[in-house]
Amino acid sequence: MRDLHLWAFERGTLWVRECGGKGVAPVVPGREAVLREAHSGDAEALASVMGFATATEVRRRFDGGRRCFVALVDGAIATYGWVSHGVESIGELERSFR
């Protein structure tokens, strides 16, 4: 097991919203978005919006069985999320999760 740095700390935010009952305002999107699964052909665009990955690294994620979902606004990636079925490591947090 590797040594943990003294500067490592955990930070998190939990958002909760009760979606039933009275007083729940409808959510009206400001822009239309298209949701879809991304593929290796999207590697360049994903690497660009991720900011810290290269297209090669993104392709390695796909080749490793990870899946990515994107929301496109005006044809450009507005947000993304990765799904993995195994253990992943977040190096900067010095943590692994399943």
Side-chain angles (χ1 to χ4, degrees):
M1 184 168 173
R2 63 184 192 168
D3 295 329
L4 296 179
H5 297 285
L6 294 177
W7 51 263
F9 63 93
E10 294 183 36
R11 178 184 348 193
T13 302
L14 176 64
W15 296 87
V16 178
R17 178 173 178 160
E18 181 62 44
C19 294
K22 295 181 178 181
V24 177
V27 176
V28 180
R31 306 279 302 268
E32 185 175 323
V34 175
L35 305 176
R36 69 168 176 83
E37 186 167 0
H39 300 283
S40 60
D42 299 307
E44 293 285 340
L46 275 166
S48 176
V49 298
M50 289 171 69
F52 59 86
T54 66
T56 301
E57 291 169 318
V58 170
R59 284 188 197 93
R60 269 195 220 119
R61 287 186 182 199
F62 284 121
D63 291 344
R66 293 162 188 89
R67 297 171 70 189
C68 184
F69 295 86
V70 296
L72 303 168
V73 174
D74 297 330
I77 298 174
T79 191
Y80 64 91
W82 286 93
V83 177
S84 176
H85 296 284
V87 175
E88 294 291 338
S89 175
I90 303 175
E92 61 271 19
L93 296 180
E94 298 180 342
R95 298 289 184 270
S96 293
F97 66 97
R98 175 175 282 284

Coordinates of all heavy atoms in Angstrom, one line a residue:
M1 N 0.8 -1.2 0.0 CA 0.0 0.0 0.0 C 0.9 1.2 0.0 O 1.8 1.3 0.7 CB -0.9 0.0 1.2 CG -1.9 1.1 1.3 SD -3.1 0.7 2.6 CE -4.0 2.2 2.5
R2 N 0.5 2.2 -0.8 CA 1.4 3.4 -0.9 C 1.1 4.3 0.3 O 0.0 4.3 0.8 CB 1.2 4.1 -2.2 CG -0.1 4.6 -2.5 CD -0.2 5.1 -3.9 NE -1.5 5.9 -3.9 CZ -1.8 6.7 -4.9 NH1 -1.0 6.9 -5.9 NH2 -2.9 7.3 -4.9
D3 N 2.1 5.2 0.6 CA 1.9 6.1 1.7 C 1.0 7.3 1.2 O 1.0 7.7 0.1 CB 3.3 6.8 2.0 CG 4.2 5.7 2.6 OD1 3.7 4.8 3.2 OD2 5.4 5.9 2.4
L4 N 0.1 7.7 2.2 CA -0.7 8.8 1.9 C 0.0 10.1 2.3 O 0.7 10.2 3.2 CB -2.0 8.7 2.7 CG -2.9 7.5 2.4 CD1 -4.1 7.6 3.4 CD2 -3.4 7.6 1.0
H5 N -0.2 11.1 1.5 CA 0.4 12.4 1.8 C -0.4 13.1 2.9 O -1.6 13.0 3.0 CB 0.4 13.3 0.5 CG 1.2 12.8 -0.6 ND1 2.5 12.8 -0.6 CD2 0.8 12.1 -1.7 CE1 3.0 12.2 -1.7 NE2 1.9 11.8 -2.4
L6 N 0.3 13.9 3.7 CA -0.4 14.6 4.8 C -1.3 15.7 4.2 O -2.3 16.1 4.9 CB 0.7 15.2 5.7 CG 1.5 14.2 6.5 CD1 2.6 15.0 7.3 CD2 0.7 13.4 7.4
W7 N -1.1 16.1 3.0 CA -2.0 17.2 2.5 C -3.3 16.7 1.9 O -4.1 17.4 1.5 CB -1.2 18.0 1.4 CG -0.6 17.1 0.3 CD1 0.7 16.7 0.3 CD2 -1.2 16.6 -0.8 NE1 1.0 16.0 -0.8 CE2 -0.2 15.8 -1.5 CE3 -2.5 16.6 -1.3 CZ2 -0.5 15.1 -2.7 CZ3 -2.7 15.9 -2.5 CH2 -1.8 15.2 -3.2
A8 N -3.4 15.4 1.8 CA -4.6 14.8 1.2 C -5.8 15.0 2.2 O -5.7 14.8 3.4 CB -4.4 13.3 0.9
F9 N -6.9 15.4 1.6 CA -8.1 15.6 2.5 C -9.3 15.2 1.6 O -9.2 15.1 0.4 CB -8.3 17.0 3.0 CG -8.4 18.0 1.9 CD1 -9.7 18.4 1.5 CD2 -7.3 18.6 1.3 CE1 -9.8 19.4 0.5 CE2 -7.4 19.5 0.3 CZ -8.7 19.9 -0.1
E10 N -10.4 14.9 2.2 CA -11.7 14.6 1.5 C -12.6 15.8 1.6 O -12.8 16.4 2.6 CB -12.3 13.4 2.1 CG -11.5 12.1 1.9 CD -12.1 10.9 2.5 OE1 -13.3 10.8 2.4 OE2 -11.4 10.0 3.0
R11 N -13.2 16.0 0.4 CA -14.2 17.1 0.3 C -15.4 16.6 -0.5 O -15.1 15.8 -1.5 CB -13.6 18.3 -0.3 CG -14.6 19.4 -0.5 CD -14.1 20.6 -1.2 NE -12.6 20.7 -1.4 CZ -12.0 21.7 -1.8 NH1 -12.6 22.8 -2.0 NH2 -10.7 21.7 -2.0
G12 N -16.6 16.9 -0.2 CA -17.7 16.4 -1.0 C -18.9 17.3 -0.8 O -19.0 18.0 0.1
T13 N -19.8 17.1 -1.7 CA -21.1 17.8 -1.6 C -22.2 16.8 -1.9 O -22.1 16.0 -2.8 CB -21.1 18.9 -2.7 OG1 -20.0 19.8 -2.5 CG2 -22.4 19.7 -2.6
L14 N -23.2 16.9 -1.2 CA -24.4 16.1 -1.4 C -25.6 17.0 -1.7 O -25.9 17.8 -0.9 CB -24.7 15.2 -0.1 CG -25.9 14.3 -0.2 CD1 -25.8 13.3 -1.3 CD2 -26.1 13.7 1.2
W15 N -26.2 16.8 -2.8 CA -27.3 17.5 -3.2 C -28.5 16.6 -3.1 O -28.5 15.5 -3.6 CB -27.2 18.0 -4.7 CG -26.1 19.0 -4.9 CD1 -24.8 18.6 -5.2 CD2 -26.1 20.4 -4.8 NE1 -24.0 19.8 -5.3 CE2 -24.8 20.9 -5.0 CE3 -27.1 21.3 -4.5 CZ2 -24.5 22.2 -5.0 CZ3 -26.8 22.6 -4.5 CH2 -25.5 23.1 -4.8
V16 N -29.6 17.1 -2.5 CA -30.8 16.3 -2.3 C -32.0 17.2 -2.6 O -32.0 18.4 -2.3 CB -30.9 15.8 -0.8 CG1 -32.2 15.1 -0.7 CG2 -29.8 15.0 -0.5
R17 N -32.9 16.6 -3.4 CA -34.1 17.4 -3.7 C -35.3 16.4 -3.6 O -35.3 15.3 -4.3 CB -34.1 18.0 -5.1 CG -35.4 18.7 -5.4 CD -35.3 19.5 -6.6 NE -36.6 20.1 -6.8 CZ -36.9 21.1 -7.6 NH1 -35.9 21.6 -8.2 NH2 -38.1 21.6 -7.7
E18 N -36.3 16.7 -2.9 CA -37.5 15.9 -2.8 C -38.3 16.2 -4.0 O -38.7 17.3 -4.3 CB -38.3 16.3 -1.5 CG -39.6 15.4 -1.4 CD -39.3 14.0 -1.2 OE1 -38.4 13.6 -0.5 OE2 -40.0 13.2 -1.9
C19 N -38.6 15.1 -4.8 CA -39.2 15.3 -6.1 C -40.7 15.0 -6.1 O -41.4 15.1 -7.1 CB -38.6 14.4 -7.1 SG -36.9 14.9 -7.4
G20 N -41.3 14.8 -4.9 CA -42.7 14.5 -4.9 C -43.4 15.6 -4.0 O -42.8 16.3 -3.3
G21 N -44.7 15.6 -4.0 CA -45.4 16.5 -3.1 C -45.7 17.9 -3.7 O -45.3 18.2 -4.9
K22 N -46.2 18.7 -2.9 CA -46.5 20.1 -3.3 C -45.3 21.0 -3.4 O -44.3 20.7 -2.7 CB -47.5 20.7 -2.3 CG -48.9 20.1 -2.3 CD -49.8 20.8 -1.3 CE -51.1 20.1 -1.3 NZ -52.0 20.8 -0.4
G23 N -45.4 22.0 -4.2 CA -44.3 23.0 -4.2 C -43.1 22.7 -5.0 O -42.1 23.4 -5.0
V24 N -43.2 21.6 -5.8 CA -42.1 21.2 -6.6 C -42.2 21.9 -8.0 O -43.2 21.7 -8.7 CB -42.0 19.7 -6.8 CG1 -40.8 19.3 -7.7 CG2 -41.8 19.0 -5.5
A25 N -41.3 22.8 -8.2 CA -41.4 23.6 -9.5 C -40.8 22.7 -10.6 O -39.9 22.0 -10.5 CB -40.6 24.9 -9.4
P26 N -41.5 22.8 -11.8 CA -41.0 22.1 -13.0 C -39.6 22.7 -13.4 O -39.4 23.9 -13.3 CB -42.0 22.3 -14.0 CG -42.7 23.5 -13.6 CD -42.7 23.6 -12.1
V27 N -38.8 21.8 -13.9 CA -37.5 22.3 -14.4 C -37.7 22.5 -15.9 O -38.1 21.7 -16.7 CB -36.4 21.2 -14.2 CG1 -35.1 21.6 -14.9 CG2 -36.2 20.9 -12.7
V28 N -37.4 23.8 -16.3 CA -37.5 24.1 -17.7 C -36.1 24.4 -18.3 O -35.4 25.3 -17.8 CB -38.4 25.4 -17.9 CG1 -38.5 25.8 -19.3 CG2 -39.7 25.2 -17.3
P29 N -35.6 23.6 -19.2 CA -34.3 23.7 -19.7 C -34.1 25.0 -20.5 O -35.0 25.5 -21.2 CB -34.1 22.5 -20.6 CG -35.4 22.1 -21.0 CD -36.4 22.5 -19.9
G30 N -33.0 25.7 -20.3 CA -32.7 26.9 -21.0 C -32.2 26.7 -22.4 O -32.4 27.5 -23.3
R31 N -31.7 25.5 -22.7 CA -31.2 25.1 -24.0 C -31.6 23.6 -24.3 O -31.6 22.8 -23.3 CB -29.7 25.2 -24.1 CG -29.1 26.6 -23.8 CD -29.2 27.6 -24.9 NE -28.5 27.2 -26.1 CZ -27.3 27.5 -26.4 NH1 -26.5 28.1 -25.6 NH2 -26.8 27.2 -27.6
E32 N -31.8 23.3 -25.5 CA -32.1 21.9 -25.8 C -30.8 21.1 -25.9 O -29.8 21.6 -26.4 CB -32.8 21.8 -27.2 CG -33.2 20.4 -27.5 CD -34.0 20.3 -28.8 OE1 -34.8 21.2 -29.0 OE2 -33.8 19.4 -29.5
A33 N -30.8 20.0 -25.3 CA -29.6 19.1 -25.3 C -30.0 17.7 -25.8 O -31.1 17.3 -25.6 CB -29.1 19.0 -23.9
V34 N -29.0 17.1 -26.4 CA -29.2 15.7 -26.9 C -28.3 14.9 -26.0 O -27.1 15.1 -25.9 CB -28.7 15.6 -28.4 CG1 -28.7 14.2 -28.9 CG2 -29.6 16.5 -29.3
L35 N -28.9 13.8 -25.4 CA -28.1 12.9 -24.6 C -27.8 11.6 -25.4 O -28.7 11.1 -26.0 CB -28.9 12.6 -23.3 CG -29.4 13.8 -22.5 CD1 -30.2 13.3 -21.3 CD2 -28.2 14.6 -22.0
R36 N -26.6 11.2 -25.3 CA -26.2 9.9 -26.0 C -25.0 9.3 -25.4 O -24.2 10.0 -24.7 CB -26.1 10.2 -27.5 CG -24.8 11.0 -27.9 CD -24.6 10.9 -29.4 NE -23.5 11.8 -29.8 CZ -22.2 11.4 -29.8 NH1 -21.8 10.3 -29.3 NH2 -21.3 12.3 -30.3
E37 N -24.8 8.1 -25.8 CA -23.5 7.4 -25.4 C -22.4 7.8 -26.3 O -22.6 7.9 -27.6 CB -23.7 5.9 -25.4 CG -22.5 5.2 -24.8 CD -22.7 3.7 -24.5 OE1 -23.8 3.2 -24.8 OE2 -21.7 3.1 -24.1
A38 N -21.3 8.1 -25.8 CA -20.1 8.5 -26.6 C -19.3 7.2 -27.0 O -19.5 6.2 -26.3 CB -19.2 9.4 -25.8
H39 N -18.5 7.3 -28.0 CA -17.7 6.2 -28.5 C -16.3 6.7 -28.8 O -16.0 7.9 -28.7 CB -18.4 5.6 -29.8 CG -19.8 5.1 -29.5 ND1 -20.0 3.9 -28.8 CD2 -21.0 5.7 -29.7 CE1 -21.3 3.8 -28.7 NE2 -21.9 4.8 -29.2
S40 N -15.5 5.8 -29.2 CA -14.0 6.1 -29.4 C -13.9 7.2 -30.5 O -12.9 7.9 -30.5 CB -13.2 4.9 -29.8 OG -13.7 4.3 -30.9
G41 N -14.8 7.3 -31.4 CA -14.8 8.4 -32.4 C -14.9 9.8 -31.8 O -14.6 10.8 -32.4
D42 N -15.4 9.8 -30.6 CA -15.6 11.1 -29.9 C -14.3 11.4 -29.0 O -14.4 12.4 -28.2 CB -16.8 11.0 -28.9 CG -18.1 10.8 -29.7 OD1 -18.3 11.6 -30.6 OD2 -18.8 9.9 -29.3
A43 N -13.3 10.6 -29.1 CA -12.1 10.8 -28.2 C -11.5 12.2 -28.3 O -11.2 12.7 -27.2 CB -11.1 9.7 -28.5
E44 N -11.3 12.7 -29.4 CA -10.7 14.1 -29.5 C -11.6 15.1 -28.8 O -11.1 16.0 -28.1 CB -10.5 14.5 -31.0 CG -9.5 13.6 -31.8 CD -8.1 14.0 -31.4 OE1 -7.8 15.1 -30.9 OE2 -7.2 13.1 -31.7
A45 N -12.9 15.1 -29.1 CA -13.8 16.1 -28.5 C -13.8 15.9 -27.0 O -13.8 16.9 -26.2 CB -15.2 16.0 -29.1
L46 N -13.9 14.6 -26.5 CA -13.9 14.4 -25.1 C -12.6 14.9 -24.4 O -12.6 15.5 -23.4 CB -14.1 12.9 -24.8 CG -15.5 12.4 -24.8 CD1 -15.6 10.9 -24.8 CD2 -16.2 12.9 -23.5
A47 N -11.5 14.6 -25.0 CA -10.2 15.0 -24.5 C -10.1 16.5 -24.3 O -9.7 17.1 -23.4 CB -9.0 14.5 -25.3
S48 N -10.7 17.2 -25.3 CA -10.7 18.7 -25.3 C -11.5 19.2 -24.1 O -11.1 20.1 -23.4 CB -11.3 19.2 -26.6 OG -11.4 20.6 -26.6
V49 N -12.7 18.6 -23.9 CA -13.5 19.2 -22.8 C -13.1 18.7 -21.4 O -13.3 19.4 -20.4 CB -15.0 18.9 -23.0 CG1 -15.6 19.5 -24.3 CG2 -15.3 17.4 -23.0
M50 N -12.4 17.5 -21.4 CA -11.9 17.0 -20.1 C -10.8 17.8 -19.6 O -10.6 18.0 -18.4 CB -11.5 15.5 -20.2 CG -12.7 14.6 -20.4 SD -12.3 12.9 -20.8 CE -11.5 12.4 -19.3
G51 N -10.0 18.3 -20.6 CA -8.9 19.3 -20.2 C -7.6 18.6 -19.7 O -6.6 19.3 -19.8
F52 N -7.7 17.5 -19.2 CA -6.5 16.9 -18.6 C -6.1 15.5 -19.3 O -5.1 14.9 -18.9 CB -6.6 16.6 -17.1 CG -7.8 15.7 -16.8 CD1 -7.7 14.3 -16.8 CD2 -9.0 16.3 -16.5 CE1 -8.7 13.5 -16.5 CE2 -10.1 15.4 -16.2 CZ -10.0 14.1 -16.2
A53 N -6.9 15.1 -20.2 CA -6.7 13.8 -20.9 C -6.3 14.1 -22.4 O -6.7 15.1 -22.9 CB -7.9 13.0 -20.8
T54 N -5.6 13.1 -22.9 CA -5.4 13.1 -24.4 C -6.4 12.2 -25.1 O -7.0 11.4 -24.4 CB -3.9 12.7 -24.7 OG1 -3.8 11.3 -24.3 CG2 -2.9 13.5 -23.9
A55 N -6.5 12.3 -26.4 CA -7.4 11.4 -27.1 C -6.9 10.0 -26.9 O -7.8 9.1 -26.8 CB -7.4 11.8 -28.6
T56 N -5.6 9.7 -26.8 CA -5.1 8.4 -26.6 C -5.6 7.8 -25.3 O -6.0 6.7 -25.2 CB -3.6 8.4 -26.7 OG1 -3.2 8.8 -28.0 CG2 -3.0 7.0 -26.5
E57 N -5.5 8.7 -24.2 CA -6.0 8.2 -22.9 C -7.5 7.9 -22.9 O -8.0 7.0 -22.3 CB -5.7 9.3 -21.9 CG -4.2 9.4 -21.6 CD -3.8 10.7 -20.8 OE1 -4.4 11.7 -21.0 OE2 -3.0 10.5 -19.9
V58 N -8.3 8.8 -23.6 CA -9.7 8.6 -23.7 C -10.0 7.2 -24.4 O -10.8 6.5 -24.0 CB -10.4 9.8 -24.4 CG1 -11.8 9.5 -24.7 CG2 -10.3 11.0 -23.6
R59 N -9.3 7.0 -25.5 CA -9.5 5.7 -26.2 C -9.1 4.5 -25.3 O -9.8 3.5 -25.4 CB -8.6 5.7 -27.5 CG -9.2 6.5 -28.6 CD -8.5 6.4 -29.9 NE -8.8 7.5 -30.8 CZ -8.1 8.6 -30.9 NH1 -7.0 8.8 -30.2 NH2 -8.5 9.6 -31.7
R60 N -8.1 4.7 -24.5 CA -7.7 3.6 -23.6 C -8.9 3.3 -22.6 O -9.1 2.2 -22.2 CB -6.5 4.0 -22.8 CG -5.2 3.5 -23.4 CD -4.0 3.6 -22.5 NE -2.9 4.0 -23.3 CZ -2.2 5.2 -23.0 NH1 -2.5 5.9 -22.0 NH2 -1.3 5.5 -23.8
R61 N -9.6 4.4 -22.2 CA -10.7 4.1 -21.3 C -11.8 3.3 -22.0 O -12.4 2.4 -21.4 CB -11.3 5.5 -20.8 CG -10.5 6.2 -19.8 CD -11.3 7.5 -19.4 NE -10.5 8.2 -18.4 CZ -11.0 9.1 -17.6 NH1 -12.3 9.4 -17.6 NH2 -10.2 9.8 -16.8
F62 N -12.1 3.7 -23.3 CA -13.1 2.9 -24.0 C -12.6 1.5 -24.2 O -13.4 0.5 -24.0 CB -13.3 3.6 -25.4 CG -14.2 4.8 -25.3 CD1 -13.7 6.0 -25.8 CD2 -15.5 4.7 -24.9 CE1 -14.5 7.1 -25.8 CE2 -16.3 5.8 -24.8 CZ -15.8 7.1 -25.3
D63 N -11.3 1.3 -24.6 CA -10.8 0.0 -24.8 C -10.8 -0.9 -23.5 O -10.9 -2.1 -23.6 CB -9.3 0.0 -25.3 CG -9.2 0.6 -26.7 OD1 -10.3 0.6 -27.4 OD2 -8.1 1.0 -27.1
G64 N -10.7 -0.2 -22.4 CA -10.8 -0.9 -21.1 C -12.2 -1.2 -20.6 O -12.4 -1.7 -19.5
G65 N -13.2 -1.0 -21.4 CA -14.6 -1.3 -21.1 C -15.4 -0.2 -20.4 O -16.5 -0.4 -20.0
R66 N -14.8 0.9 -20.2 CA -15.5 2.0 -19.6 C -16.5 2.6 -20.7 O -16.2 2.6 -21.8 CB -14.6 3.1 -19.1 CG -13.7 2.6 -18.0 CD -12.5 3.5 -17.8 NE -11.6 2.9 -16.8 CZ -10.6 2.1 -17.1 NH1 -10.4 1.6 -18.3 NH2 -9.8 1.6 -16.2
R67 N -17.6 3.2 -20.2 CA -18.6 3.8 -21.1 C -18.7 5.3 -20.7 O -18.4 5.7 -19.5 CB -19.9 3.2 -20.9 CG -19.9 1.7 -21.3 CD -21.2 1.0 -20.9 NE -22.3 1.4 -21.8 CZ -23.5 1.1 -21.6 NH1 -23.9 0.3 -20.6 NH2 -24.5 1.6 -22.4
C68 N -19.0 6.1 -21.7 CA -19.1 7.5 -21.4 C -20.4 8.0 -22.0 O -20.8 7.6 -23.1 CB -18.0 8.3 -22.1 SG -18.0 10.1 -21.8
F69 N -21.1 8.9 -21.3 CA -22.3 9.5 -21.8 C -22.1 11.0 -21.9 O -21.5 11.6 -21.0 CB -23.5 9.1 -20.9 CG -23.8 7.6 -20.9 CD1 -23.0 6.8 -20.1 CD2 -24.7 7.1 -21.8 CE1 -23.3 5.4 -20.1 CE2 -24.9 5.8 -21.9 CZ -24.2 4.9 -21.0
V70 N -22.7 11.6 -22.9 CA -22.5 13.1 -23.1 C -23.8 13.7 -23.3 O -24.8 13.1 -23.8 CB -21.6 13.3 -24.3 CG1 -20.2 12.8 -24.1 CG2 -22.2 12.8 -25.6
A71 N -23.9 15.0 -23.0 CA -25.0 15.9 -23.4 C -24.4 16.9 -24.4 O -23.4 17.6 -24.1 CB -25.6 16.6 -22.2
L72 N -25.0 17.0 -25.6 CA -24.6 17.9 -26.6 C -25.5 19.1 -26.7 O -26.8 18.9 -26.8 CB -24.6 17.1 -28.0 CG -23.7 15.9 -28.1 CD1 -24.0 15.1 -29.3 CD2 -22.3 16.2 -28.0
V73 N -25.0 20.2 -26.8 CA -25.7 21.5 -27.0 C -25.2 22.1 -28.3 O -24.0 22.4 -28.3 CB -25.6 22.4 -25.8 CG1 -26.3 23.8 -26.1 CG2 -26.2 21.8 -24.5
D74 N -26.0 22.3 -29.2 CA -25.6 22.8 -30.5 C -24.5 22.0 -31.1 O -23.5 22.5 -31.7 CB -25.1 24.3 -30.4 CG -26.3 25.2 -30.0 OD1 -27.5 24.9 -30.3 OD2 -26.0 26.3 -29.4
G75 N -24.5 20.7 -30.9 CA -23.5 19.8 -31.5 C -22.2 19.6 -30.7 O -21.4 18.9 -31.1
A76 N -22.0 20.4 -29.7 CA -20.8 20.4 -28.9 C -21.1 19.7 -27.5 O -22.1 19.9 -27.0 CB -20.2 21.8 -28.7
I77 N -20.1 19.0 -27.0 CA -20.2 18.4 -25.7 C -20.3 19.5 -24.6 O -19.4 20.3 -24.4 CB -19.0 17.5 -25.4 CG1 -19.0 16.3 -26.4 CG2 -19.1 16.9 -24.0 CD1 -17.7 15.4 -26.3
A78 N -21.5 19.5 -23.9 CA -21.7 20.4 -22.8 C -21.3 19.8 -21.5 O -20.9 20.5 -20.5 CB -23.1 20.9 -22.8
T79 N -21.5 18.5 -21.4 CA -21.1 17.8 -20.1 C -20.9 16.3 -20.5 O -21.4 15.8 -21.5 CB -22.2 18.0 -19.0 OG1 -21.7 17.5 -17.8 CG2 -23.5 17.3 -19.4
Y80 N -20.3 15.6 -19.6 CA -20.0 14.2 -19.8 C -19.9 13.4 -18.5 O -19.7 14.1 -17.4 CB -18.7 14.0 -20.6 CG -17.5 14.5 -19.8 CD1 -16.8 13.6 -19.0 CD2 -17.1 15.8 -19.9 CE1 -15.7 14.1 -18.2 CE2 -16.0 16.2 -19.2 CZ -15.3 15.4 -18.3 OH -14.2 15.8 -17.6
G81 N -20.1 12.1 -18.5 CA -19.9 11.3 -17.3 C -19.4 9.9 -17.7 O -19.9 9.4 -18.7
W82 N -18.5 9.4 -17.0 CA -18.0 8.1 -17.3 C -18.6 7.0 -16.3 O -18.9 7.3 -15.2 CB -16.4 8.0 -17.0 CG -15.7 8.7 -18.1 CD1 -15.3 10.1 -18.1 CD2 -15.3 8.2 -19.3 NE1 -14.6 10.3 -19.3 CE2 -14.6 9.2 -20.1 CE3 -15.3 6.9 -19.9 CZ2 -14.0 9.0 -21.3 CZ3 -14.8 6.7 -21.2 CH2 -14.1 7.8 -21.8
V83 N -18.8 5.8 -16.9 CA -19.3 4.7 -16.1 C -18.3 3.5 -16.2 O -17.8 3.2 -17.3 CB -20.7 4.2 -16.7 CG1 -21.2 3.0 -15.9 CG2 -21.7 5.3 -16.6
S84 N -18.0 3.0 -15.0 CA -17.1 1.8 -15.0 C -17.7 0.7 -14.2 O -18.4 1.0 -13.2 CB -15.7 2.3 -14.4 OG -14.9 1.2 -14.2
H85 N -17.4 -0.5 -14.5 CA -17.9 -1.6 -13.8 C -16.8 -2.3 -12.9 O -17.0 -3.3 -12.3 CB -18.5 -2.7 -14.7 CG -19.7 -2.1 -15.5 ND1 -20.9 -2.0 -14.9 CD2 -19.8 -1.7 -16.7 CE1 -21.8 -1.5 -15.8 NE2 -21.1 -1.3 -16.9
G86 N -15.7 -1.6 -12.8 CA -14.6 -2.1 -11.9 C -14.1 -1.1 -11.0 O -14.7 -0.1 -10.8
V87 N -13.0 -1.4 -10.4 CA -12.4 -0.5 -9.4 C -11.7 0.6 -10.2 O -10.9 0.4 -11.1 CB -11.4 -1.2 -8.5 CG1 -10.7 -0.2 -7.6 CG2 -12.1 -2.2 -7.7
E88 N -11.9 1.9 -9.8 CA -11.2 3.0 -10.4 C -10.4 3.8 -9.3 O -10.8 3.8 -8.2 CB -12.2 4.0 -11.1 CG -12.9 3.4 -12.2 CD -12.0 3.2 -13.5 OE1 -11.0 3.8 -13.6 OE2 -12.4 2.3 -14.3
S89 N -9.4 4.4 -9.8 CA -8.5 5.2 -8.8 C -8.6 6.7 -9.2 O -8.6 7.0 -10.4 CB -7.1 4.7 -8.9 OG -6.3 5.5 -8.1
I90 N -8.8 7.5 -8.2 CA -8.7 9.0 -8.4 C -7.4 9.4 -7.7 O -7.3 9.5 -6.5 CB -9.9 9.7 -7.7 CG1 -11.2 9.2 -8.3 CG2 -9.7 11.2 -7.9 CD1 -12.4 9.8 -7.6
G91 N -6.4 9.5 -8.6 CA -5.0 9.7 -8.1 C -4.9 11.0 -7.2 O -4.2 10.9 -6.1
E92 N -5.5 12.1 -7.6 CA -5.3 13.3 -6.8 C -6.0 13.2 -5.5 O -5.7 14.0 -4.6 CB -5.8 14.5 -7.6 CG -7.3 14.5 -8.0 CD -7.6 13.8 -9.3 OE1 -6.7 13.1 -9.8 OE2 -8.6 14.1 -9.9
L93 N -7.0 12.3 -5.3 CA -7.6 12.1 -4.0 C -7.0 10.9 -3.2 O -7.4 10.7 -2.1 CB -9.1 11.9 -4.2 CG -9.9 13.1 -4.8 CD1 -11.4 12.7 -4.9 CD2 -9.7 14.3 -3.9
E94 N -6.1 10.2 -3.9 CA -5.5 9.0 -3.3 C -6.6 8.0 -2.8 O -6.5 7.5 -1.7 CB -4.5 9.4 -2.2 CG -3.4 10.3 -2.7 CD -2.4 10.7 -1.6 OE1 -2.8 10.6 -0.4 OE2 -1.3 11.0 -1.9
R95 N -7.6 7.8 -3.6 CA -8.7 6.9 -3.3 C -9.0 6.0 -4.5 O -8.9 6.4 -5.6 CB -9.9 7.7 -2.9 CG -9.8 8.6 -1.7 CD -9.7 7.8 -0.4 NE -9.7 8.7 0.7 CZ -8.6 9.1 1.3 NH1 -7.4 8.9 0.8 NH2 -8.7 9.9 2.4
S96 N -9.5 4.9 -4.2 CA -10.1 4.0 -5.2 C -11.5 3.8 -4.8 O -11.9 3.8 -3.7 CB -9.3 2.6 -5.2 OG -8.0 2.8 -5.6
F97 N -12.3 3.5 -5.8 CA -13.8 3.3 -5.6 C -14.3 2.3 -6.6 O -13.7 2.0 -7.6 CB -14.6 4.5 -5.6 CG -14.6 5.2 -7.0 CD1 -15.7 5.0 -7.8 CD2 -13.6 6.0 -7.4 CE1 -15.7 5.6 -9.1 CE2 -13.6 6.6 -8.6 CZ -14.7 6.4 -9.5
R98 N -15.4 1.6 -6.3 CA -16.0 0.7 -7.2 C -17.3 1.3 -7.7 O -18.1 1.8 -7.0 CB -16.3 -0.6 -6.5 CG -17.1 -1.6 -7.4 CD -17.2 -3.0 -6.8 NE -16.1 -3.8 -6.8 CZ -15.6 -4.4 -7.9 NH1 -16.3 -4.3 -9.0 NH2 -14.6 -5.2 -7.8

